[in-house]
Amino acid sequence: MCGIIAYSGKGDAAILAFESLKKLEYRGYDSWGVAALLANGKKAFSVIKKVGKIGATNSEFVKQAIPEQNHMAIAHTRWATHGGVTEQNAHPHLDCRLTIAVVHNGIIENYQGIRNSLNTPGEAHEFKSQTDTEVIPHYIEHLMQKEGCDFLTAARKAAILIKGRSAFVALNSETGQMFAARKGAPLIVGIHENNSEEFFIASDLTAFLDHTNKVMYLDDNEGLSISNGKIDFFDIETGAPKQKRVVDIHWHGKANLEKEGYDHFLIKEIMEQKYTIAAAINQDDEKIQDVADAIKGAFGTFLVGCGTAGKVCMTGEYLFSKIAKKHVNSVVASEFSGYQHYLTPKTLVVAVSQSGETADVLEAIEIAKSKSAKIVSLLNVFGSTMMRVSDDFFITNAGAERAVVSTKATTAQLAVLSLLAYAAAGRLQEGKLLLMNAASSVNDMLNPRYEEHLKRLALILQDKKDIFIIGRGLNYPIALEAAIKLQETCNIHAQGFAGGELKHGPLALVGPDTPCIVLVANDDAKQDILNNASEVKARGGFIIGISPENDEVFDFWVKVPDAGNASPIVNIIPVQILAYNIALLLGRDPDYPRNLAKSVTVK
Ligand code: F6R
């Protein structure tokens, strides 16, 4: 949530920061801004701030706005937390003297107290925004003006003072120094391959992968400074120097970051499921077996995730029950603290997250670690915070997921959890075969004719106010996930239910033509879910069956392959395509749903 990028080197800093910031747009797209430090002894900033998506602006605009030479810049794309979406609230924020510019990601829980402390009879600071961030440049200014601190010491003291998960970069126009601090939100440094004096600092390495594969990861409570082209790392609390290892990142195909001829990332990523499911199950068998054995042997296993990943965890609970006859608990990460009383050093927490940066999941991990529980993560982003704080991890191999709406990462997570369930049952090879068959069925399914069929359904559903989705067993959590897809992509009120629950209340909402998507698999829940569909139809509902076979209760049939226990994977894909096509009909932006951001780094 919010994306930060900073650049220091011989290049055109404002343009490099601006172009890199575009790659972080998925983290927030309310507004954006750049501050560039002008060269040739000017000791001043040139600042641009705009409301709206950065993707809508080209670099020509930045060149015209900042025509002067500059070699240091910071930039930010915002997902509003404190203060509305206005130019004043867009970052960078500056101090009163306009010599310190700051970009920030996260939340400063104690900002109000800091702000109050800066406005005393003897000292008044002019705040121009309603943001929490603005206290940082003013506090640094206060320390430099009133307490005689140098810039780097003042910035480090500001980093110590602020509470809450965040990261920030501060730039000083008078000294030409840059300072960055990580306190719970990601910050990664890229060093140019051929120039050890050229640096990128970003919330996500995808921002600078076009320029370098060489990265250094900041850990929590670590900071860095750049002065005269030299970078230094240190502990924020003590100031003690830190050594950092340079890591070569080769897992992330650069081409994966572009739309490659598709109109949107969302449809590109849906189509990539032709091969990402096969990539997801390409795991080390021994490691899968070891973790499956650990799940079996643990005194309580918790699958923890948020949103879509939370629904994957819920599916995991059913998979383990059905395949391995093993009880595991799925818990929404933001509710995990309520379960801390059950945690012991023999507990295993399996964290599921595309980004590996979600604050609620990180907090759950912290709670689990405080009880000495073991942590295994299923992640899509190599090098993410979760990977670094877990005892073990699997990478789901879906490649960079740029659309805010998760698709290919979801099916990859489902595939890895299924493998673990089969391994826990001592049937890993059987599970692999099942998933390989599912992957090849998905490959056959994702053809233009299939999309045409779903476009016809999109035309029928585009003007509906409510859509129900029902499923049972393995497909109950997928009904909940299908609802999330329709909510965020189309902004339609969609709600998922366990098929059996309708008659306990929600059936009262069904009227003539209420659409109800029914997720069917060839399993022991099939007859019951078809009966539930009939109950909806008897009350006038319009039944859309997502099912391997047609049935007389369906008003519209979407065929899916008969994938056995991999039915959650194949059943969600038509809903993803449907949501994309309804969004297009309604004129929504499928890649950037309103009010959302991809990497949710606030609680
Ligand atoms: C919905 C979606 C979100 C994420 C959730 C967790 O399409 O993408 O619900 O699943 O924000 O994000 P990660 O998986 O990065 O932890």
Side-chain angles (χ1 to χ4, degrees):
M1 238 154 210
C2 296
I4 297 178
I5 176 86
Y7 172 85
S8 174
K10 295 277 179 271
D12 193 343
I15 297 293
L16 283 164
F18 170 80
E19 288 297 340
S20 303
L21 188 65
K22 284 189 164 185
K23 307 247 165 54
L24 298 179
E25 186 171 22
Y26 70 88
R27 299 179 70 91
Y29 32 89
D30 297 339
S31 53
W32 61 274
V34 180
L37 177 53
L38 300 180
N40 305 326
K42 285 230 168 94
K43 299 194 171 182
F45 290 118
S46 191
V47 180
I48 311 172
K49 291 188 187 201
K50 287 278 162 216
V51 167
K53 292 178 184 148
I54 188 173
T57 312
N58 61 33
S59 49
E60 223 18 70
F61 171 81
V62 179
K63 267 188 203 140
Q64 278 174 18
I66 309 179
E68 298 185 58
Q69 225 193 2
N70 59 87
H71 301 301
M72 284 181 129
I74 56 177
H76 184 272
T77 184
R78 181 168 186 246
W79 185 84
T81 57
H82 294 74
V85 180
T86 62
E87 265 182 30
Q88 283 95 330
N89 288 336
H91 300 213
H93 292 287
L94 282 85
D95 66 323
C96 302
R97 299 171 64 240
L98 308 181
T99 58
I100 299 153
V102 170
V103 288
H104 168 242
N105 167 30
I107 282 185
I108 302 173
E109 289 167 0
N110 54 339
Y111 84 99
Q112 198 61 59
I114 301 173
R115 196 166 161 153
N116 294 344
S117 77
L118 287 171
N119 275 319
T120 58
E123 185 182 1
H125 287 258
E126 193 196 341
F127 286 86
K128 297 196 171 88
S129 78
Q130 288 88 48
T131 64
D132 50 352
T133 304
E134 203 184 350
V135 297
I136 300 177
H138 288 285
Y139 187 69
I140 295 173
E141 177 188 26
H142 157 82
L143 292 176
M144 291 173 74
Q145 296 296 310
K146 301 285 173 190
E147 298 192 15
C149 290
D150 61 78
F151 167 67
L152 294 178
T153 307
R156 191 166 68 76
K157 286 190 172 182
I160 294 171
L161 182 71
I162 58 173
K163 301 269 175 284
R165 277 181 194 285
S166 65
F168 74 88
V169 183
L171 188 55
N172 183 338
S173 64
E174 288 180 326
T175 63
Q177 290 170 309
M178 192 180 277
F179 172 95
R182 176 188 165 132
K183 289 191 81 175
L187 220 44
I188 302 162
V189 181
I191 318 164
H192 200 281
E193 327 241 342
N194 312 316
N195 181 354
S196 60
E197 292 193 359
E198 184 165 11
F199 306 103
F200 292 86
I201 303 165
S203 305
D204 178 346
L205 56 85
T206 54
F208 56 71
L209 272 183
D210 281 351
H211 301 281
T212 180
N213 284 334
K214 294 198 181 307
V215 309
M216 291 184 285
Y217 290 96
L218 278 184
D219 286 320
D220 276 343
N221 296 313
E222 284 183 354
L224 68 83
S225 64
I226 299 174
S227 296
N228 299 320
K230 187 172 169 289
I231 193 162
D232 289 299
F233 296 90
F234 43 81
D235 182 287
I236 289 174
E237 292 288 334
T238 62
K242 289 260 179 174
Q243 295 303 319
K244 287 277 132 193
R245 203 163 57 89
V246 178
V247 183
D248 271 306
I249 298 290
H250 289 299
W251 66 282
H252 230 314
K254 285 182 187 177
N256 221 285
L257 301 173
E258 306 304 333
K259 286 189 195 144
E260 292 167 41
Y262 286 95
D263 289 339
H264 298 99
F265 283 112
L266 181 57
I267 189 66
K268 174 195 164 228
E269 289 162 7
I270 291 171
M271 292 302 162
E272 281 174 349
Q273 291 172 113
K274 285 180 181 188
Y275 52 84
T276 50
I277 297 161
I281 56 176
N282 188 13
Q283 302 286 346
D284 174 351
D285 281 4
E286 217 170 293
K287 190 165 154 190
I288 288 279
Q289 194 59 57
D290 285 351
V291 171
D293 291 344
I295 292 173
K296 264 170 66 183
F299 183 66
T301 296
F302 291 87
L303 307 182
V304 181
C306 296
T308 288
K311 304 302 173 272
V312 169
C313 292
M314 216 173 145
T315 315
E317 196 173 324
Y318 282 89
L319 286 166
F320 272 90
S321 163
K322 187 170 182 195
I323 298 164
K325 318 283 177 267
K326 168 76 185 166
H327 173 74
V328 299
N329 310 275
S330 76
V331 183
V332 171
S334 54
E335 290 296 321
F336 187 69
S337 65
Y339 292 77
Q340 59 186 301
H341 319 288
Y342 307 121
L343 305 180
T344 75
K346 289 188 180 157
T347 307
L348 181 66
V349 169
V350 179
V352 180
S353 172
Q354 189 285 130
S355 61
E357 300 293 349
T358 303
D360 289 326
V361 184
L362 283 169
E363 191 126 313
I365 291 177
E366 272 165 28
I367 292 169
K369 287 186 102 150
S370 74
K371 304 275 180 169
S372 306
K374 290 272 170 302
I375 317 291
V376 176
S377 296
L378 256 62
L379 309 163
N380 198 39
V381 178
F382 185 90
S384 56
T385 306
M386 261 174 239
M387 178 183 126
R388 292 143 57 67
V389 298
S390 298
D391 297 295
D392 212 339
F393 65 90
F394 294 100
I395 296 296
T396 46
N397 297 331
E401 194 179 62
R402 293 287 301 274
V404 169
V405 174
S406 183
T407 53
K408 60 176 181 168
T410 312
T411 47
Q413 290 162 349
L414 286 168
V416 179
L417 270 186
S418 304
L419 269 190
L420 286 167
Y422 273 97
R427 291 154 54 199
L428 176 57
Q429 294 314 319
E430 180 191 331
K432 259 191 158 172
L433 193 60
L434 174 100
L435 291 159
M436 260 148 60
N437 286 336
S440 97
S441 308
V442 167
N443 194 358
D444 297 342
M445 191 172 148
L446 288 171
N447 62 56
R449 242 179 332 119
Y450 199 68
E451 205 186 342
E452 281 310 314
H453 187 57
L454 287 158
K455 279 183 184 168
R456 283 194 283 279
L457 181 58
L459 281 169
I460 298 172
L461 297 183
Q462 62 171 324
D463 53 5
K464 300 291 180 202
K465 275 215 172 71
D466 312 289
I467 301 178
F468 285 7
I469 307 105
I470 57 171
R472 276 179 176 257
L474 288 176
N475 280 287
Y476 162 44
I478 299 304
L480 304 181
E481 164 56 8
I484 298 184
K485 292 301 86 137
L486 291 162
Q487 289 158 5
E488 59 187 348
T489 319
C490 320
N491 310 144
I492 290 180
H493 170 244
Q495 213 168 339
F497 294 100
E501 275 294 291
L502 288 187
K503 57 188 175 292
H504 297 290
L507 209 48
L509 295 171
V510 171
D513 288 334
T514 304
C516 179
I517 299 175
V518 185
L519 302 179
V520 186
N522 270 340
D523 59 14
D524 47 12
K526 179 176 174 182
Q527 198 47 55
D528 286 337
I529 195 71
L530 289 174
N531 291 344
N532 297 142
S534 297
E535 289 153 15
V536 177
K537 189 163 175 133
R539 280 142 188 101
F542 179 80
I543 307 299
I544 300 132
I546 294 185
S547 164
E549 283 121 29
N550 202 352
D551 190 277
E552 60 185 9
V553 73
F554 300 155
D555 295 299
F556 194 103
W557 176 41
V558 179
K559 189 176 185 337
V560 282
D562 184 353
N565 286 334
S567 68
I569 295 175
V570 298
N571 280 358
I572 193 60
I573 291 175
V575 183
Q576 297 170 348
I577 300 171
L578 176 67
Y580 173 72
N581 281 289
I582 297 177
L584 292 186
L585 289 171
L586 296 178
R588 314 272 190 256
D589 184 339
D591 285 342
Y592 299 107
R594 71 177 182 204
N595 303 340
L596 301 179
K598 189 149 187 78
S599 202
V600 186
T601 53
V602 295
K603 281 206 284 173

